[in-house]
């Protein structure tokens, strides 16, 4: 029964994600995405014109091939046509190459006041590290990146284990995360909204379940979110949550996860200090509800086979209390 319930929840959440988490490079909402979309449309239009011309010339040749003799005059005309086609090909390819170069160069620029966020790709989740530019204090979130709308954000991309690829098509192009190397990418959301992203480089068994959300907010909302995230966890406000915290600290959970303001300081899994405020868990696999938290804790390997979270044996009562505690971490 427990496994059947887990599978039912899994199917429902996947369907919900599919309906609400669409992503498309043609749905451009950022400066880089708009520039890339314009480049794509330019290439498509030019290629469509070239293809149409080739088809027209081919059709004309097929219709006239039996009605004309190949004399010297005809051969000279064909030679001239070939030369013209070669020159046109060189001009078109050169023009598209130059357009691509300048587009790529332009989207890599960032304003001096750009926010900087470090991103580490893990199997199979995203680690976001915010560093205060003045105090150098930092905090971490997972799978949900908050940014101020209307402002450049410089991403420093690193791979923790294998090569991943950061791709949020509505905001920017793809950029790889390579172990031992730092790549950079600039994103800019024109207006507040939620933009879905995905790992675009095959990175293992759960590559397709390595999604992320970028939440663009107004400057005031972003500042409020930032202040809240910088605080340690608030003590549980009810007996069930307090009991759940005690169970969490007594189990292997505290060895793998960090919850600031508690003895839990693990670095293997995502930081859970404010996990209750995130929209999804397990890198976009499940909507963040108490039931989903309980299902994930109860059997993570059924929901996401191969992930690094081991099965922690909990009674039904313990599971309810731990899920209540995690839901309260906002």
């Amino acid at each position: 029964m427990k496994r059947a319930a887990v599978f039912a929840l899994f199917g429902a959440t996947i369907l919900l994600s599919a309906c609400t988490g669409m992503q498309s490079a043609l749905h451009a909402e950022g400066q880089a995405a708009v520039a890339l979309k314009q480049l794509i449309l330019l290439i498509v239009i030019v290629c469509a014109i070239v293809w149409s011309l080739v088809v027209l010339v081919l059709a004309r040749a097929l219709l006239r091939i039996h009605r004309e003799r190949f004399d010297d005059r005809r051969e000279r005309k064909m030679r001239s046509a070939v030369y013209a086609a070669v020159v046109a090909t060189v001009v078109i390819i050169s023009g598209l190459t130059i357009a691509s170069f300048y587009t790529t160069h332009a989207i890599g620029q960032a304003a001096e006041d750009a926010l900087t966020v470090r991103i580490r790709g893990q199997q199979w989740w995203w680690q976001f590290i915010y560093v205060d530019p003045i105090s150098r204090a930092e905090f971490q979130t997972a799978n949900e990146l908050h940014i101020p709308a209307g402002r450049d954000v410089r991403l420093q991309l690193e791979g923790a284990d294998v090569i991943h690829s950061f791709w949020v098509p509505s905001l920017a192009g793809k950029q790889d995360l390579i172990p031992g190397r730092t790549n950079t990418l600039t994103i800019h959301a024109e207006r507040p909204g939620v933009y879905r992203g995905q790992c675009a480089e095959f990175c293992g068994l759960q590559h397709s379940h390595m999604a992320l959300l970028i939440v663009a907010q107004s400057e005031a909302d972003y500042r409020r979110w930032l202040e809240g995230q910088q605080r340690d966890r608030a003590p549980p406000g009810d007996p069930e949550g307090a009991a759940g915290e005690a169970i969490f600290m007594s189990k292997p959970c505290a060895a793998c996860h960090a919850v600031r303001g508690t003895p839990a300081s693990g670095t293997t899994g995502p930081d859970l200090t404010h996990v209750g405020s995130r929209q999804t868990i397990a890198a976009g696999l499940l909507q963040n509800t108490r039931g989903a938290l309980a299902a994930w804790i109860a059997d993570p390997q059924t929901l996401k086979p191969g992930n690094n979270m081991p099965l922690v044996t909990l009674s039904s009562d313990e599971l309810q209390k731990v899920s209540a505690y995690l839901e309260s971490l906002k």
Side-chain angles (χ1 to χ4, degrees):
M1 286 295 292
K2 182 181 78 170
R3 180 154 296 193
V6 167
F7 275 118
L9 178 62
F10 174 71
T13 51
I14 289 298
L15 180 61
L16 181 60
S17 298
C19 294
T20 60
M22 293 185 295
Q23 56 192 34
S24 171
L26 299 180
H27 183 234
E29 295 289 346
Q31 292 178 346
V34 170
L36 291 172
K37 178 182 177 180
Q38 292 173 344
L39 179 63
I40 292 171
L41 293 177
L42 173 64
I43 293 173
V44 169
I45 291 171
V46 171
C47 290
I49 293 172
V50 171
W51 179 85
S52 299
L53 292 174
V54 169
V55 170
L56 288 174
V57 172
L58 177 61
R60 182 175 182 274
L62 291 174
L63 291 173
R64 300 186 60 172
I65 192 169
H66 297 297
R67 293 185 294 173
E68 293 189 5
R69 291 189 310 108
F70 283 91
D71 52 18
D72 290 342
R73 182 166 168 272
R74 177 65 176 164
E75 186 174 348
R76 285 195 299 272
K77 287 174 62 177
M78 293 181 64
R79 187 181 297 117
S80 298
V82 170
Y83 289 155
V86 170
V87 171
T89 300
V90 172
V91 171
I92 290 171
I93 292 177
S94 299
L96 293 179
T97 301
I98 293 171
S100 178
F101 171 79
Y102 279 106
T103 299
T104 304
H105 179 73
I107 64 178
Q109 303 300 312
E112 292 184 0
D113 64 341
L115 170 70
T116 299
V117 181
R118 287 172 52 206
I119 298 179
R120 302 193 76 206
Q122 310 270 2
Q123 288 182 305
W124 291 273
W125 57 282
W126 302 92
Q127 182 181 28
F128 302 130
I129 304 170
Y130 291 75
V131 182
D132 186 279
I134 299 176
S135 67
R136 308 309 298 171
E138 66 178 50
F139 69 87
Q140 297 183 19
T141 66
N143 305 317
E144 189 174 302
L145 179 67
H146 287 243
I147 63 172
R151 182 175 165 191
D152 287 349
V153 180
R154 183 186 294 106
L155 306 179
Q156 297 178 342
L157 306 171
E158 307 168 359
D161 33 49
V162 299
I163 297 175
H164 303 277
S165 184
F166 183 92
W167 187 38
V168 183
S170 293
L171 297 181
K174 302 175 185 176
Q175 184 61 272
D176 285 349
L177 297 84
I178 302 173
R181 174 177 174 178
T182 300
N183 288 335
T184 59
L185 178 69
T186 300
I187 61 174
H188 181 112
E190 295 288 354
R191 57 185 62 86
V194 179
Y195 307 97
R196 189 180 188 277
Q198 181 72 41
C199 178
E201 180 78 24
F202 180 74
C203 55
L205 180 63
Q206 292 298 325
H207 159 70
S208 60
H209 292 151
M210 188 174 171
L212 69 140
L213 294 178
I214 291 188
V215 181
Q217 301 171 289
S218 66
E219 191 70 34
D221 289 342
Y222 173 72
R223 287 294 172 190
R224 281 193 291 270
W225 175 85
L226 194 63
E227 291 172 3
Q229 293 292 312
Q230 289 173 330
R231 301 190 191 102
D232 291 347
R233 73 90 176 88
D238 60 90
E240 186 178 34
E245 182 175 67
I247 296 168
F248 183 93
M249 298 304 161
S250 67
K251 298 290 183 178
C253 316
C256 293
H257 296 280
V259 179
R260 298 194 310 273
T262 74
S265 57
T267 57
T268 303
D271 188 302
L272 301 180
T273 304
H274 300 291
V275 65
S277 64
R278 297 170 194 162
Q279 298 184 35
T280 67
I281 58 173
L285 185 66
L286 301 169
Q287 297 298 309
N288 192 1
T289 65
R290 182 171 174 178
L293 286 165
W296 175 251
I297 298 167
D299 199 351
Q301 293 303 320
T302 294
L303 293 174
K304 197 168 184 176
N307 78 88
N308 291 327
M309 181 169 169
L311 179 63
V312 177
T313 304
L314 297 173
S315 67
S316 297
D317 182 61
E318 289 176 329
L319 182 61
Q320 291 295 323
K321 291 176 179 176
V322 171
S323 61
Y325 168 61
L326 294 177
E327 186 185 36
S328 72
L329 294 175
K330 298 182 179 179

